[in-house]
Amino acid sequence: MKKILLFTTLCIFINSEIYSQSGNSCSDAIEITAGTYTVNGINGNTFESNCTEYDADNGELEWYSYTAIQDYLVTVSTDYAVNNNLDTRFHVYQGECENLQCAGGDDDSGDGYLSHGSFYAYAGNTYFIAWDDRWGDENFEFTIEENDPPPPPPFEFTQINVNSVGSERGMVDMNGDGLDDMVSIQSTNINLLIQTQEGGFDEVNISTSNADYMPSWSMAAGDFDRNGFNDLLYGGGSGVTFMKANHDGSGYTEISGNEYVFSQRSNFVDINNDGHLDAFVCHDIQPTVYYINDGEGNLQFFQGPNDEGISSGIGGVAQNLADWNTAAQEGGNYGSVWIDFDNDRDIDMFIAKCRGGNIQWKNNELWRNNGDGTFSNIADVTGWYNSYYPDGGHDNSSNLGDPVQTWSSAWGDFDNDGYIDVYVGASATGDGEHKLMQNNGDGTFTDRTAGSGVEGAPFGIENDSGDFNNDGYIDVLSNGSMLLNNGDFTFTIYDGNMPGPGAIGDANNDGFLDVFNGNNLYQNDGNDNNWLTIRTTGTTSNVNGIGARVEITSPGIGTQIRDVRSGTGFRYMSSLNTYFGLGEDTNITTLTIYWPSGTVDVINNVDVNQSINIVEGQTLSIEASEINQLSVFPNPASDFITIKSDYNLKDSIISVFDINGRRVVNYKNTANNNMVDVSSLSNGEYILRVISSDGKIYSTKVLKR
């Protein structure tokens, strides 16, 4: 698709006059039509609203106006050889000059740092195209191309201007009532639009001490001190700032370290599975960093492999951090997302890499949780990790070690087979284009891109997933386009009247996903499909339930899965709730939550079209699941326990819990081995539990001597 557009536009270069006028403000914007134009420097008036992936200051602008004579999909592009080595960015506004609203824009969707983006233009409406000097003010050429609009999508969004103050957006519950609020940040202020039970929002501004580092690259949320109110992580260009909420959410304490971190995507996640949220931050030019929670809400900084943190590390580095060298450095870490891709009930992590020209830094990574506090990169396509850490189990067995230049990935079970798949969205074409990878259920992925429909998706840095039309199949919001899941592992792309990149959540509690960015809320108009929203509250696990697997089964659609995640896409903070579309299904047969602690809650016959809060252990404790379906020997045991069962234990999840409910052994029994190693456990009483491949739960008590 991009090659066709390029050819068409090159024809414009050849056959049309190149114009070189520009306007210095909205009111004197130069009127343009389809064609090619030259921008001779940028020195016009600025405008505070930003329409691209970045909320950074848009600086000075050059202004153009475009009026559609009929409905068009309008493409604006600098993606041509004449502009090689330049860095451009544009914004598209609509409305009166005194009250402009964003309608589109693009930064780096073309090759290198060039721009290529589309917006839907309605007949008779005027749109303002403004080029800024954020990344440069050199002369360049751009084209305007008019194409017939695509068919209307099966659902629409209404763009609503909201009075948010600041930048760096999130849509996440901040007052503990389970409803998604809208969050925007200033250096000394947190602006909250608190969703009310009656509908609408209450604006709250909370003053803070000056943030050493603003979330110019990413923001994450989670309650790492377990006081009932979500804290914030600011990922800046030079370091990391935490804003820790007080006991009633009315104020925040600023915490910043002195470590240099060129932050990209950030996450809250319980890395060591001790029931307390840790933090993870991608580092652009050094190994990734992480902050381990001591259980009292204090976060200790680690980087690369460290015996005190994660023994095998996540992200490579020389053994001695002081001895970094060109061969041993590891960077290019952009978009991290924590998911359980292998269904072993341990949270794993994928990093979208972006570093063109560097063989190691540009290959995406999939870090499998080994269940013992270590992680292995099973997307080690170059063998770099296996060379430096030959005992770490690193390889490319997953088939995800691609050099696609990408900033983010969208994960979801696109075919509802119970295993989470991934769309890797390219930001540029230099190292390959988008990839749609299907999870085979055995730790490997198969490339299903060809013929899937994603080949024509836009290039850019923001990709995230959600069921936006509530038909029971997960879609992808990609750089201002919607990749609508057809239910057969193919997608239809809708470019018109779709929200741009932003934070995803439910702003009016109607069960349909909305998008928040800039001063705009893109409210999903919805349809007649049914839905279910789930808030997870951990007790033994972290209080947000981050890392939990939520699974529902309904008669028509079958099984759907979601992972509770903090930090998806590249930049924004989306809801911590899980959202399910149900199509025409009117009841949910079974709702199951697999908590990070190992606790499993099961609820039968759940009503649709409601938001519910599930508290860990409220329906099924470890002890309550105990049934006499297993026999084990020896019991007491010293080193190994042998399981005897009439049931096939292959692909079952085998776990051991101590008397406090802490999971101390956990693995997926892929080898159909009936022996459980308990040699490292202290003497005492434990519970052995087996979750069979068909979801049945069996448990029994065992003694270690």
Side-chain angles (χ1 to χ4, degrees):
M1 183 180 215
K2 187 172 182 180
K3 292 180 179 177
I4 295 173
L5 290 175
L6 179 60
F7 174 78
T8 302
T9 314
L10 285 175
C11 291
I12 295 174
F13 268 103
I14 295 170
N15 295 303
S16 63
E17 182 179 358
I18 298 179
Y19 303 92
S20 60
Q21 302 180 58
S22 61
N24 286 334
S25 68
C26 174
S27 59
D28 66 0
I30 302 299
E31 295 182 5
I32 58 176
T33 58
T36 302
Y37 301 86
T38 297
V39 178
N40 291 318
I42 298 175
N43 58 8
N45 295 347
T46 189
F47 184 69
E48 64 181 17
S49 180
N50 194 311
C51 301
T52 69
E53 304 95 327
Y54 305 102
D55 285 337
D57 179 20
N58 53 25
E60 296 182 325
L61 300 167
E62 292 297 317
W63 293 81
Y64 300 83
S65 67
Y66 167 85
T67 302
I69 60 174
Q70 66 180 62
D71 290 353
Y72 285 122
L73 179 66
V74 177
T75 299
V76 182
S77 182
T78 61
D79 192 13
Y80 308 105
V82 68
N83 297 321
N84 281 353
N85 300 317
L86 298 181
D87 191 348
T88 59
R89 186 171 73 164
F90 72 89
H91 316 269
V92 182
Y93 303 102
Q94 61 182 347
E96 302 296 327
C97 287
E98 297 77 19
N99 187 29
L100 295 175
Q101 297 184 14
C102 289
D106 184 74
D107 191 353
D108 296 329
S109 295
D111 282 342
Y113 299 106
L114 297 175
S115 308
H116 186 96
S118 302
F119 65 96
Y120 195 83
Y122 296 93
N125 289 351
T126 296
Y127 301 84
F128 297 93
I129 301 168
W131 297 91
D132 72 24
D133 65 349
R134 170 66 179 173
W135 309 117
D137 60 359
E138 299 91 342
N139 298 351
F140 61 89
E141 295 178 2
F142 73 93
T143 62
I144 300 291
E145 182 181 329
E146 297 170 335
N147 293 285
D148 291 334
F155 61 104
E156 295 184 348
F157 292 85
T158 297
Q159 185 175 333
I160 301 172
N161 186 255
V162 294
N163 186 33
S164 63
V165 179
S167 58
E168 329 312 340
R169 312 299 183 187
M171 187 151 48
V172 63
D173 176 24
M174 295 298 292
N175 65 341
D177 65 355
L179 299 177
D180 291 328
D181 310 307
M182 289 185 281
V183 186
S184 55
I185 304 300
Q186 294 177 303
S187 59
T188 58
N189 183 72
I190 297 175
N191 175 249
L192 302 177
L193 298 179
I194 301 294
Q195 185 179 169
T196 67
Q197 297 288 343
E198 299 78 21
F201 299 91
D202 292 330
E203 183 174 0
V204 178
N205 285 287
I206 301 176
S207 297
T208 69
S209 55
N210 188 68
D212 287 356
Y213 309 106
M214 286 286 286
S216 52
W217 291 97
S218 70
M219 180 170 65
D223 184 3
F224 69 82
D225 61 349
R226 303 181 71 98
N227 71 349
F229 292 89
N230 283 324
D231 314 295
L232 298 175
L233 185 166
Y234 298 173
S238 300
V240 176
T241 287
F242 295 92
M243 286 291 179
K244 187 175 181 180
N246 63 11
H247 68 283
D248 60 1
S250 62
Y252 292 83
T253 300
E254 187 265 350
I255 304 171
S256 300
N258 57 8
E259 302 88 5
Y260 171 71
V261 183
F262 189 171
S263 306
Q264 302 293 330
R265 176 73 263 175
S266 54
N267 318 91
F268 278 112
V269 62
D270 186 358
I271 298 175
N272 57 0
N273 200 31
D274 64 352
H276 303 283
L277 279 182
D278 313 302
F280 180 87
V281 182
C282 284
H283 201 314
D284 190 358
I285 59 175
Q286 291 180 9
T288 57
V289 304
Y290 46 98
Y291 299 80
I292 299 298
N293 195 327
D294 66 357
E296 301 295 328
N298 304 304
L299 299 171
Q300 183 179 1
F301 174 87
F302 293 97
Q303 184 173 24
N306 191 308
D307 290 339
E308 298 180 65
I310 304 172
S311 58
S312 70
I314 300 179
V317 66
Q319 293 290 348
N320 184 349
L321 292 178
D323 294 332
W324 281 326
N325 56 66
T326 302
Q329 284 191 20
E330 200 273 336
N333 306 292
Y334 272 53
S336 52
V337 58
W338 292 78
I339 36 79
D340 180 12
F341 83 93
D342 54 1
N343 287 6
D344 65 353
R345 311 309 179 205
D346 286 323
I347 201 73
D348 315 293
M349 191 263 292
F350 179 82
I351 302 181
K353 306 281 281 192
C354 181
R355 184 64 69 189
N358 184 296
I359 295 176
Q360 175 55 37
W361 290 15
K362 69 181 182 180
N363 286 286
N364 300 324
E365 300 175 358
L366 178 63
W367 289 87
R368 181 188 63 212
N369 191 331
N370 299 320
D372 59 0
T374 68
F375 292 77
S376 299
N377 180 18
I378 56 171
D380 184 23
V381 68
T382 66
W384 188 94
Y385 288 98
N386 190 51
S387 296
Y388 277 86
Y389 306 100
D391 299 325
H394 308 296
D395 53 42
N396 189 35
S397 56
S398 68
N399 196 34
L400 289 184
D402 298 304
V404 177
Q405 185 152 322
T406 180
W407 293 44
S408 62
S409 58
W411 287 78
D413 184 6
F414 298 131
D415 54 355
N416 287 346
D417 68 347
Y419 287 90
I420 192 167
D421 315 296
V422 59
Y423 169 74
V424 182
S427 59
T429 60
D431 291 309
E433 302 191 4
H434 315 303
K435 301 196 75 172
L436 179 65
M437 305 296 289
Q438 185 175 31
N439 193 329
N440 299 318
D442 59 0
T444 68
F445 291 77
T446 297
D447 189 346
R448 292 285 303 278
T449 309
S452 67
V454 305
E455 302 96 321
F459 295 86
I461 70 173
E462 285 285 353
N463 302 280
D464 209 345
S465 57
D467 185 358
F468 287 89
N469 61 345
N470 281 351
D471 66 347
Y473 293 93
I474 294 177
D475 315 302
V476 176
L477 181 63
S478 177
N479 304 292
S481 294
M482 185 68 69
L483 280 58
L484 197 66
N485 193 335
N486 299 319
D488 58 358
F489 223 82
T490 68
F491 294 79
T492 300
I493 300 175
Y494 292 95
D495 297 304
N497 199 31
M498 290 292 118
I504 300 171
D506 186 358
N508 56 352
N509 200 31
D510 66 348
F512 287 84
L513 291 173
D514 313 302
V515 181
F516 171 51
N517 187 12
N519 290 322
N520 295 298
L521 171 66
Y522 298 87
Q523 186 170 289
N524 193 330
D525 294 342
N527 52 38
D528 294 331
N529 287 337
N530 297 313
W531 53 272
L532 180 71
T533 301
I534 299 171
R535 175 191 181 192
T536 50
T537 301
T539 53
T540 304
S541 303
N542 67 85
V543 71
N544 301 106
I546 293 169
R549 166 64 57 85
V550 184
E551 179 181 291
I552 68 169
T553 301
S554 61
I557 297 173
T559 298
Q560 300 182 61
I561 62 174
R562 303 285 190 273
D563 289 335
V564 184
R565 296 174 278 182
S566 172
T568 56
F570 174 71
R571 182 176 182 202
Y572 303 95
M573 178 61 210
S574 295
S575 177
L576 288 170
N577 296 332
T578 56
Y579 296 90
F580 292 89
L582 289 160
E584 297 180 355
D585 284 359
T586 57
N587 75 289
I588 297 161
T589 308
T590 306
L591 162 64
T592 306
I593 299 180
Y594 301 92
W595 298 88
S597 69
T599 298
V600 180
D601 279 297
V602 180
I603 304 175
N604 297 317
N605 300 317
V606 180
D607 293 334
V608 301
N609 300 333
Q610 63 168 332
S611 300
I612 58 176
N613 180 33
I614 306 297
V615 179
E616 180 179 8
Q618 71 178 52
T619 65
L620 182 66
S621 69
I622 299 167
E623 292 78 9
S625 70
E626 186 176 329
I627 54 179
N628 191 25
Q629 298 289 337
L630 300 175
S631 61
V632 298
F633 61 93
N635 192 9
S638 57
D639 295 316
F640 292 91
I641 296 172
T642 300
I643 303 173
K644 184 179 180 181
S645 174
D646 293 334
Y647 296 90
N648 187 355
L649 298 182
K650 188 176 188 306
D651 293 328
S652 60
I653 306 296
I654 297 177
S655 308
V656 179
F657 301 83
D658 64 21
I659 59 174
N660 296 315
R662 297 288 310 149
R663 186 171 59 184
V664 293
V665 173
N666 186 76
Y667 63 94
K668 190 173 184 178
N669 190 27
T670 56
N672 199 22
N673 182 1
N674 288 13
M675 297 182 66
V676 183
D677 187 354
V678 295
S679 59
S680 63
L681 303 182
S682 301
N683 292 342
E685 184 178 287
Y686 295 87
I687 295 171
L688 171 71
R689 191 191 65 195
V690 177
I691 303 177
S692 67
S693 58
D694 59 359
K696 292 184 172 63
I697 302 172
Y698 314 107
S699 64
T700 188
K701 291 183 178 179
V702 296
L703 295 175
K704 168 67 190 301
R705 293 287 186 264

